[in-house]
Amino acid sequence: MSTRAEQKLLTRRSLMDAALAQLSPDRGFGSLSLREVAREAGIAPTSFYRHFADLNELGLVLVDEGGVALRQLMRQARKRIARDGSAISTSVETFMEYLGNNANLFRLMLRERTGGSKPFRTAIKAEIDHFVTELADDLRRFADEQHKPLADARLVAEAMVTLVFNQGSEALDATHKEREELKIKLKTELRMILIGSQMMAKHASIR
């Protein structure tokens, strides 16, 4: 890769990091201005357009990055599950690690998931759907391996992801003690969903 191409990638990354750095519990992506993002990245506002068409395009790239990072982390969690067992506990711990390392990325996805921008909502829904599909596949595999069928793996996955996102929003700005309490609560709630689906499948099979 040429030096110029490398510099362009570095500047693009700087703009993305600058936008994320501006986010906070009190400030969403929609309130950012191109000028302040460029200033934070150390470039002239006019240079922004060499990397992104507008702030919305930058935001959509961040959404994609957030979704990919989460899926990659959960794939790593599968390896930990295969080694250590305890799928729910390992998955929750892995998700909380993601939150700790990507707080503003997750904050962006949470807010824009129900925000006023249709492109953002569509992109985030696609990322969540990818995540649900992978989780449903995992659940079916675990159910087959343990001989504990589920009533509907896709619905279980959707319920789990919704719950995790909701609890994740609480965990974002929680203290260490509060986050540990949330982990315990989340693990219990996920087990309830899983066991409930197993019991529904069991009752359906004996009717």
Side-chain angles (χ1 to χ4, degrees), residues 2 21 55 74 89 96 99 101 103 106 110 122 144 164 169 174 182:
S2 69
L55 275 178
M74 296 314 292
S89 181
M96 290 299 179
L99 273 190
N101 296 325
F106 189 71
L110 270 179
T122 301
D144 290 342
V164 166
S169 67
L182 278 171

Side-chain angles (χ1 to χ4, degrees), residues 34 38 43-51:
L34 185 153
I43 68 170
T46 51
S47 298
F48 178 95
Y49 297 105
R50 297 175 189 167
H51 307 278

Side-chain angles (χ1 to χ4, degrees), residues 132 136 139-140 151-161 193 197:
V132 167
L139 289 169
R140 291 187 191 96
D152 189 321
R154 177 78 190 189
L155 279 181
V156 173
E158 288 179 357
M160 285 182 162
V161 170
I193 293 172
S197 181

Side-chain angles (χ1 to χ4, degrees), residues 65-183:
E65 182 176 87
V68 169
L70 181 56
R71 292 201 303 278
Q72 288 176 341
L73 202 61
M74 296 314 292
R75 286 167 191 157
Q76 292 172 18
R78 289 181 200 126
K79 296 178 182 177
R80 290 164 61 182
I81 292 167
R83 184 184 68 239
D84 304 328
S86 188
I88 285 177
S89 181
T90 300
S91 297
V92 169
E93 293 294 336
T94 301
F95 177 72
M96 290 299 179
E97 288 174 18
Y98 171 84
L99 273 190
N101 296 325
N102 302 275
N104 279 350
L105 259 181
F106 189 71
R107 201 186 304 279
L108 170 68
M109 294 179 72
L110 270 179
R111 281 192 172 149
E112 300 304 326
R113 181 185 180 192
T114 55
S117 169
K118 185 175 181 181
F120 271 100
R121 294 198 308 271
T122 301
I124 293 167
K125 182 179 184 303
E127 293 298 335
I128 292 174
D129 284 346
H130 285 317
F131 193 52
V132 167
T133 297
E134 289 195 8
L135 178 57
D137 290 341
D138 284 344
L139 289 169
R140 291 187 191 96
R141 187 173 67 255
F142 292 147
D144 290 342
E145 290 172 355
Q146 298 173 4
H147 306 292
K148 293 179 179 179
L150 299 174
D152 189 321
R154 177 78 190 189
L155 279 181
V156 173
E158 288 179 357
M160 285 182 162
V161 170
T162 298
L163 180 60
V164 166
F165 264 68
N166 288 342
Q167 294 288 18
S169 67
E170 290 189 39
L172 267 178
D173 302 302
T175 64
H176 176 74
K177 182 175 182 290
E178 290 169 340
R179 188 169 288 195
E180 290 302 310
E181 291 171 350
L182 278 171
K183 283 185 194 178

